[in-house]
Amino acid sequence: MSLAKEQLETFAEQGHLTVTGLLSEADVDKATSDAMAWANETLGNITPMDEHWYLDAGATGRHLRKLDDPVHYRAIFKALARTPLLVQAVEQLIGGHGVTVYFSQIFFKPPEGGGPKPIHQDNFYFGPSDPDGMVTAWIALDDATIENGCLYYGDGSHKSGLIDHIAPQDEPFNLQLPAEAAASANMTATPVARGGISFHHGITLHGSGDNNSSKWRRAVAFHYVRNDVTFVSPAWTFDPEMAERIS
Ligand SMILES: O=C(O)CCC(=O)C(=O)O
């Protein structure tokens, strides 16, 4: 068991939990280097159509804002998602009947202007049959601070259910709470040290700020689902071929 009873209680109460010590520094180093190598390869080949979706509009210079499905495409991330202590923690949080990484994403948030991620709920994107059957493990590849755009969470917001999201015309890739709901959400900054993991429930409100610093704020998110869960009301179509069964 990698999580203590108090940690499970915190997750149940707050809808998120930050944990350190589940990953080795060497594994985080390897993941960060591989993320940058993949980003550079991608930047060399990106199609004009994908530019709008994947480039960070706020950044100084030409940088990606994200890349999808590292667990499917990159051996290092596939291995990272199988780290035994991490998988044990996930199974404690969503149940021990086997889990799959349904989707995964690297968030780059480059220095000097990397853009924000508006407030949203992951379950709005995925629409799982059991709202408690998914958890995101968000892994800090750099120290995530208020200055470089750490996550913000609505503490306890997973108890209030899903809210309808909108897809703004200029950024349809950022499904998000309508302005009024976002303005009234009570969000708490949650800095995470490099290598730390912030787990969040699929309904927990979360988002992140701009990167106003000279440092990167890179992170990878593994969206784990319990194997008996189906997707009954997704906002988007996710390619099931990208899913990687873990246990
Ligand atoms: O890293 C970010 O800024 C956003 C992360 C996120 O939305 C997620 O992990 O679900």
Side-chain angles (χ1 to χ4, degrees), residues 27 61 65-66 70 79 88 98 114 127 145 152-153 158 165 171 182 186 188 192 220 233-234 244-245:
D27 283 348
R65 94 190 154 83
K66 69 171 322 217
Q88 274 173 33
T145 64
Y152 283 71
Y153 286 117
H158 63 306
H165 287 39
E171 45 177 79
N186 192 6
T188 309
V192 178
V220 61
S233 52
E244 292 288 328
R245 188 168 173 141

Side-chain angles (χ1 to χ4, degrees), residues 118-122 151-154 187 200 204-208:
I119 302 174
H120 65 281
Q121 295 164 305
D122 293 346
L151 289 180
Y152 283 71
Y153 286 117
M187 306 298 284
H200 58 260
T204 303
L205 293 174
H206 62 288
S208 64

